[in-house]
Amino acid sequence: MSTPASTTPTATTPTARGSSVLTVAQLAAALPGALRKLDPRELLATPVMLVVEVGAVATTVMSVLDPSTLGWLVTLWLWLTVVFGTLAESVAEGRGKAQAASLRELQTETPARRVRGAAGALPHTDTLADLPTDLPTDEVPSTSLHAGDVVVVEAGERIPGDGDVVAGVASVDESAVTGESAPVIRESGGDRSAVTGGTVVLSDRIVVKITSEPGQSFVDRMIALVEGSERQRTPNEIALNVLLSSLTVVFVVVCGSLYFLADHSGAHQSPLVLTALLVCLIPTTIGALLSAIGIAGMDRLVRRNVLAMSGRAVEAAGDVDVLLLDKTGTITHGNRQAAELLAVPGVTSAELAEAALLSSLADETPEGRSIVTLVGGAVATPPGATFVPFSAATRMSGLDLPGRTLRKGAGSAVAQWVHSTGSPAAHPSVAAIEAHVQHVSESGGTPLVVAEQVGSAPARLLGVIHLKDVVKDGIRERFEELRAMGIRTVMITGDNAVTAAAIAREAGVDDVLAEATPEDKLALIRREQQGGRMVAMCGDGTNDAPALAQADVGVAMNTGTTAAKEAGNMVDLDSDPTKLLDVVEIGKQLLITRGALTTFSVANDVAKYFAILPAMFVVAFPDLDVLNVMRLSSPESAIVSAVVFNALVIVALIPLALRGVAYRPASASALLQRNLLVYGVGGLVAPFLGIKLLDLVISHIPGL
C-alpha cells in the first residue's frame, strides 16, 4: 500500500549509511565551525590543543617582534595544527547536523483532530467498534498538543505527536524515522501500541493518546542527540584526556628545562624552536581526534538506526559479556502464528483446512489472520452465516451455518462442546486429538482444536491447528556471531519451561530464564553484574523497563512501550534484537580506535624526537649527528618538516576516526598485538618517511 503523495515523507532518511571518505565539500562545510572552536573556552575541553594554540600565539608574537622565514613557517603550521584539530570535531558534528536537518522536516506543523474535552472523556475501551463513530473533535495544530490529549488519526494522515494507540489497529509508514520502507502494524494494547510523531497512517483509523509535551518528542530527542548537544564524555574518554594532559604537562616541563640546559651547554635555543619541539612531542594526533572519535561512534549507531542516549552506553557496549533478550517481540515476532494443520484419521487435509478457514473468517486477532493466511486466503462469507466471537467464558470462536456448526478453540473447551452434542467420550478421534495436542505442546506451540456438527448429528473432532511463536529470520546466525565475540545470550520469557526450551533451541540462545517476572529479570542482571560482567538487555514491554534501566546497556525496541524506551539508554528504530551485534561492534570500534590512534600518536612522537633533537644540539654536540638517521638538510628544515607533518597527519587520520578501526572477533592480547604491529610500527615509520619527503621540499625555501 503506498503512501498518499501529500503525506509521503520526502526527507532523505537520516539512517542512510554515509561514506567515510573525507571530501572537499565536507571540509569546506566544517571549516566555519572549526574556526569558531578556536575560542580558548572551547579548547579547555581538549587541553592538548589548548597548549598548541597558546604556542601558536607565542610564536606569532615572536615572529612579529623578530621576523624570520623559520618563525613565520612555524607559526603558520602551528595555527593550522589547531585548526585541523578543531576541524576533525567539526566534521564529526557536521554529519550529525546533516541528519538532524532531515529529521526536522518531520516537525512541520501537522493538523490534529483532538477529542473534545479531557482525556478521560474517551470511553474506556480497546476497540473502535465500541467507540462512537462521531467522536467530537477540534482541529488544532500539533504544536499545541500536550501529554494526555487524545487524537483521532485516519488513513493518509500524519500522526501529530508521540503517543500510544488506545483504540484501533492500523498500518503505519515509519520510513521517515527508521528508513525502512515496509509498513508496520500498530494496535491498542500489548507492546505494539507506541507511535512516533511524523509517521503516516496508511490504512484504517486509530485513536492515539499523546505522551509527550511540545519540544520533548522522540524526534526532538533524536535531533538533540545527533547534533551532539547532549553528548557526555565517557569515563574512558575522560581518563584518556587526563593521560594526555599529564603527558602535556611533563613535556612542558621538559621543554622549559631544555632552554636552560641548552644555554648552559652553549647550544642556545630560541623559545620559537622550543615551542615547535613541545608541539611535536605532546600527543597532538590523538588529542586532536579524541572528540571526533566519540562523536563518530554515536553517529555510526544512528546510521544503523540505533539511537544512543549517551556516549557512555556506546562505550559500555564494547565490553558486554552477557546479552539478555525478552522472547516475545524480541526473539519472536510476538504473535503466535498458524504453522500447520494436523487432521485426525478419517478427515482429509482439505476438510480440516476448510473448517479452520471458515471458523477464522471473523477472527481479527493475529492468530486468526494467520490461519487464513496459512490455508490460502480469505473467502466470501457464506450466506446465512452467524459469527460466534471468542469469549473468555467459552474459550471458543466459530461460525454457525444453516445445518452446520463449526467451533475452534482450546482443546478442553472444544472437547466439552463435542460431548454436549452427544458424541461419545471414548470416540477414536479423541485419542488422535490428544496425541496431536501433546505433540504441539511439547514443541512449545499452542494447540487449537477444530470441530464440526452437521445437522443434529453428534459433533466430530476434525483436527488441531498448531500455533507457534515465530522466531525472527536470521536470528540464529546473528547469535552465533555474538557467541564468536564471547557474548553469552540468555532468553527471558514468562512462558513455561517446555515452551521456553523449544523456542530457545530454535533461536540458538545459550541459556533460558523461563516463567520470569520483572523481579526475576532484575535479580538475574544484578547477579551477573556482581560477578563482574557487563550486561546488555533487549526488551520492548513495560515489564522489561526495570531490567532495561538496571542493565549496563539497555536497548529498547522502537515498537515497544513508552516506558521501555524511556528506561533504556538506547532505542533500536528497527526493533531488531540482533542489532546489538552492530552496537557491540561499534562499541568495540570506539575503544579500539582510541587505542590504535593513541598508539600511533605516541609512536609518532618518538620519530619526531629523532628529527628535532639532533637538529637542535648537533652544533654544540657533533656526536649527536649519529641520531640524524633521516639525514635532514638543516636544523631549520628539520624543525619545519616535523611541524608540518604533525599538522598534516591529523587531517590524514580524520577519515579513520570517523569510520573507526575495523573490528574482528579476537582476544584482547591479539588486539593489542595488532595495534602494536599496525599502528605502533606504522606510527614509527610514517613520520620518518613523511618528514624526509617534506624536508626535500622545504629545504629549497629561501631563508631556511
Side-chain angles (χ1 to χ4, degrees):
M1 186 177 299
S2 60
T3 307
S6 59
T7 59
T8 301
T10 57
T12 301
T13 174
T15 55
R17 297 174 188 259
S19 170
S20 60
V21 176
L22 194 61
T23 65
V24 175
Q26 284 179 309
L27 290 174
L31 187 57
L35 295 176
R36 286 193 295 271
K37 291 179 181 293
L38 294 178
D39 185 335
R41 292 170 296 182
E42 291 272 349
L43 290 177
L44 281 173
T46 52
V48 174
M49 300 313 296
L50 179 61
V51 169
V52 178
E53 184 171 56
V54 171
V57 171
T59 58
T60 301
V61 173
M62 286 184 277
S63 297
V64 170
L65 296 177
D66 184 17
S68 68
T69 303
L70 175 64
W72 285 116
L73 283 174
V74 170
T75 298
L76 170 65
W77 283 98
L78 289 188
W79 277 114
L80 287 176
T81 301
V82 185
V83 172
F84 291 162
T86 58
L87 185 66
E89 185 174 357
S90 185
V91 169
E93 289 180 351
R95 292 164 68 127
K97 289 176 180 177
Q99 296 172 22
S102 62
L103 283 171
R104 282 197 175 91
E105 297 189 22
L106 295 177
Q107 294 188 306
T108 55
E109 189 74 24
T110 303
R113 288 186 289 129
R114 182 173 60 191
V115 176
R116 194 170 301 155
L122 184 70
H124 294 289
T125 176
D126 288 335
T127 64
L128 280 176
D130 297 330
L131 285 175
T133 56
D134 57 345
L135 281 172
T137 60
D138 297 315
E139 187 166 306
V140 298
S142 57
T143 51
S144 68
L145 295 175
H146 296 275
D149 286 344
V150 176
V151 297
V152 179
V153 190
E154 297 188 353
E157 296 179 349
R158 192 181 294 271
I159 297 173
D162 293 357
D164 293 322
V165 178
V166 294
V169 57
S171 174
V172 179
D173 175 10
E174 294 187 342
S175 60
V177 175
T178 67
E180 294 295 325
S181 58
V184 295
I185 300 298
R186 293 289 177 262
E187 56 190 338
S188 60
D191 294 338
R192 287 177 174 76
S193 59
V195 291
T196 304
T199 57
V200 178
V201 173
L202 298 180
S203 68
D204 304 297
R205 170 176 172 254
I206 52 176
V207 178
V208 177
K209 185 174 183 179
I210 301 298
T211 57
S212 63
E213 294 293 334
Q216 299 176 7
S217 69
F218 184 68
V219 172
D220 287 315
R221 291 165 64 196
M222 283 187 71
I223 290 172
L225 287 166
V226 299
E227 284 187 325
S229 60
E230 295 184 16
R231 194 184 79 85
Q232 301 294 319
R233 292 183 179 273
T234 64
N236 181 279
E237 191 175 352
I238 293 171
L240 187 53
N241 239 330
V242 170
L243 173 63
L244 299 182
S245 300
S246 301
L247 288 174
T248 300
V249 171
V250 169
F251 281 117
V252 167
V253 173
V254 168
C255 291
S257 302
L258 279 177
Y259 178 82
F260 301 101
L261 176 64
D263 190 58
H264 178 73
S265 64
H268 177 75
Q269 299 295 328
S270 71
L272 178 78
V273 173
L274 291 172
T275 301
L277 174 66
L278 171 64
V279 172
C280 287
L281 292 185
I282 61 177
T284 50
T285 305
I286 184 61
L289 297 173
L290 185 58
S291 294
I293 294 169
I295 295 171
M298 293 183 67
D299 173 74
R300 286 196 296 275
L301 269 184
V302 173
R303 290 173 184 274
R304 286 163 175 79
N305 284 1
V306 178
L307 176 62
M309 305 305 178
S310 71
R312 180 190 293 266
V314 184
E315 194 170 276
D319 291 323
V320 164
D321 303 301
V322 181
L323 168 61
L324 310 182
L325 303 107
D326 179 54
K327 179 194 69 110
T328 305
T330 305
I331 291 177
T332 67
H333 285 287
N335 292 317
R336 295 171 300 174
Q337 303 288 305
E340 61 178 332
L341 302 178
L342 304 171
V344 300
V347 176
T348 66
S349 299
E351 288 178 310
L352 176 58
E354 183 208 22
L357 175 61
L358 291 174
S359 61
S360 302
L361 289 179
D363 189 349
E364 289 302 320
T365 64
E367 292 88 347
R369 292 194 291 267
S370 74
I371 294 171
V372 174
T373 301
L374 176 67
V375 172
V379 296
T381 303
T386 301
F387 294 112
V388 179
F390 173 84
S391 73
T394 64
R395 294 188 298 156
M396 293 188 302
S397 62
L399 186 71
D400 290 344
L401 297 168
R404 187 184 183 193
T405 303
L406 296 167
R407 290 293 183 268
K408 174 195 71 181
S412 58
V414 174
Q416 185 177 358
W417 175 76
V418 169
H419 298 332
S420 70
T421 65
S423 179
H427 193 281
S429 62
V430 173
I433 287 291
E434 289 176 347
H436 287 323
V437 168
Q438 182 178 359
H439 166 72
V440 171
S441 299
E442 289 178 350
S443 69
T446 301
L448 291 181
V449 176
V450 181
E452 175 191 44
Q453 181 183 26
V454 178
S456 58
R460 61 174 184 149
L461 297 166
L462 301 179
V464 172
I465 302 171
H466 179 184
L467 297 180
K468 62 177 293 187
D469 278 342
V470 179
V471 173
K472 294 184 176 180
D473 294 338
I475 202 164
R476 172 180 282 274
E477 291 74 19
R478 300 305 295 275
F479 285 159
E480 289 176 356
E481 293 181 59
L482 288 169
R483 197 172 296 113
M485 289 181 174
I487 299 174
R488 182 167 63 93
T489 54
V490 181
M491 185 182 79
I492 303 177
T493 177
D495 285 343
N496 61 65
V498 173
T499 301
I503 295 295
R505 284 193 300 271
E506 185 177 354
V509 296
D510 297 313
D511 205 351
V512 181
L513 178 64
E515 300 179 7
T517 64
E519 292 77 15
D520 293 332
K521 300 176 186 179
L522 199 58
L524 175 60
I525 291 175
R526 287 173 175 166
R527 284 198 304 272
E528 296 286 353
Q529 290 172 331
Q530 287 168 1
R533 286 175 284 275
M534 297 285 285
V535 180
M537 166 76 185
C538 286
D540 62 352
T542 300
N543 63 340
D544 296 322
L548 288 168
Q550 177 67 37
D552 299 288
V553 180
V555 183
M557 303 295 104
N558 190 44
T559 55
T561 62
T562 302
K565 288 191 282 188
E566 290 182 349
N569 48 25
M570 293 188 187
V571 176
D572 176 16
L573 302 180
D574 293 332
S575 299
D576 175 7
T578 61
K579 187 70 69 64
L580 191 76
L581 181 65
D582 293 329
V583 174
V584 170
E585 285 185 357
I586 291 170
K588 290 184 181 296
Q589 271 191 327
L590 190 68
L591 298 176
I592 293 171
T593 302
R594 284 186 188 145
L597 292 183
T598 300
T599 303
F600 186 92
S601 183
V602 172
N604 253 337
D605 294 341
V606 175
K608 287 177 284 188
Y609 168 88
F610 279 96
I612 295 183
L613 262 294
M616 290 175 59
F617 293 98
V618 72
V619 175
F621 304 101
D623 290 344
L624 287 179
D625 188 57
V626 71
L627 296 179
N628 185 17
V629 294
M630 287 179 272
R631 297 299 163 191
L632 303 179
S633 303
S634 66
E636 293 79 8
S637 176
I639 292 168
V640 175
S641 298
V643 171
V644 172
F645 178 84
N646 195 60
L648 294 179
V649 75
I650 295 173
V651 179
L653 291 175
I654 290 177
L656 180 62
L658 297 180
R659 184 183 67 247
V661 175
Y663 171 74
R664 292 185 295 273
S667 64
S669 59
L671 290 174
L672 176 60
Q673 184 179 28
R674 186 181 72 168
N675 263 4
L676 291 175
L677 288 176
V678 176
Y679 297 98
V681 175
L684 282 172
V685 173
F688 279 95
L689 296 176
I691 291 174
K692 179 61 179 177
L693 291 174
L694 288 168
D695 175 70
L696 295 175
V697 176
I698 291 172
S699 61
H700 292 90
I701 297 177
L704 284 182

